[in-house]
Amino acid sequence: MMIAGSGAGLMLSPPETTPGAVVQSCARLMEDEKHIDTAAALAREMALLPPPSAVVERLTDL
């Protein structure tokens, strides 16, 4: 839900999840500049986050 809400992805409800709808959604994601740009921005943001191992260290120090 959050990925679709951010504009970086799409969400299909279970009744909509047909092979054809999945193919169409994938094509839309790969062709739509808005989705591409938003996904790239999200990837850059995630790259700045600490690795899971660093988070575990912090949690065990609590």
Side-chain angles (χ1 to χ4, degrees):
M1 276 187 163
M2 293 181 75
I3 298 294
S6 75
L10 300 170
M11 186 171 76
L12 298 171
S13 67
E16 295 173 314
T17 309
T18 64
V22 172
V23 168
Q24 277 186 318
S25 295
C26 289
R28 182 173 163 200
L29 288 172
M30 292 187 300
E31 296 168 358
D32 186 330
E33 289 296 322
K34 177 186 166 211
H35 291 297
I36 293 167
D37 293 344
T38 305
L42 185 58
R44 286 189 298 273
E45 185 179 329
M46 290 175 66
L48 297 174
L49 295 173
S53 58
V55 175
V56 170
E57 284 180 27
R58 288 184 186 176
L59 291 175
T60 57
D61 289 342
L62 293 178

